[in-house]
Amino acid sequence: MKPESQPTTTTPNVEPSARELLARNLVRLRAERRFSQEELAYEAGLHRTFVAHVERRMRNISLDNIEKLALALDVPIASLLEPS
Amino acid sequence: MKPESQPTTTTPNVEPSARELLARNLVRLRAERRFSQEELAYEAGLHRTFVAHVERRMRNISLDNIEKLALALDVPIASLLEPS
DNA sequence: TTGTGACTTCTAGTCCGTT
DNA sequence: AAACGGACTAGAAGTCACA
């Protein structure tokens, strides 16, 4: 059948981009907590549209603001950048 | 009872600040690889003085540049923000 | 409720140095 | 090799109107 070329046996190590990782974790964790973007933004002390931009990978967020999001979601900072 | 007199000074502290974590990991990994600040900066495509500032927690680095440093040091992005 | 483009303000990041 | 400073430019922060 051969559906498509698979990433064969040993190729784990191409990590998605940092923005991608952050975006996915943000969306996932926010959903788990049943927060709207607005609620998360409020908890983090950020603007709603800024969070939306980050979740869409349109913005290059800084470390201080990543930290605010981690605190708002009550997770370690590093976990926001781990592959899910 | 007198619990103990802790240095109540600063950090709200479940975890060191994000800048602190990044700085420590940067210094440690750079030392392990025997890189100078200039060499690391060059590998990451950043400026020497900027890396120095980040290692001293004086600058709020952006995610894209954290990613560049992770690539230069050949570690996962998240590992730069993990407690050592 | 969320996505997006555009805009202004302010700082991240560079580049020239000296200590 | 690293800390530190000044002056500059690129780009993140923050906000808005509207889809």
Side-chain angles (χ1 to χ4, degrees), chain B:
Chain B
M1 286 255 316
K2 192 165 193 313
E4 83 254 68
S5 48
Q6 276 294 332
T8 55
T9 47
T10 39
T11 48
N13 209 8
V14 190
E15 203 175 338
S17 77
R19 289 194 195 191
E20 183 78 37
L21 287 169
L22 178 63
R24 283 192 211 159
N25 286 318
L26 233 40
V27 170
R28 181 177 48 79
L29 289 165
R30 185 168 66 75
E32 283 176 14
R33 282 153 183 70
R34 308 281 196 286
F35 282 167
S36 67
Q37 288 179 344
E38 185 155 20
E39 286 167 325
L40 173 57
Y42 178 80
E43 290 297 322
L46 296 172
H47 201 271
R48 180 191 106 237
T49 58
F50 182 66
V51 171
H53 277 112
V54 172
E55 286 193 356
R56 269 175 287 125
R57 310 178 310 281
M58 309 200 58
R59 293 271 168 142
N60 181 23
I61 190 175
S62 73
L63 182 55
D64 288 359
N65 284 339
I66 294 173
E67 182 170 31
K68 289 183 191 171
L69 290 171
L71 289 171
L73 291 164
D74 193 32
V75 294
I77 302 152
S79 73
L80 290 183
L81 295 171
E82 274 158 10
S84 43

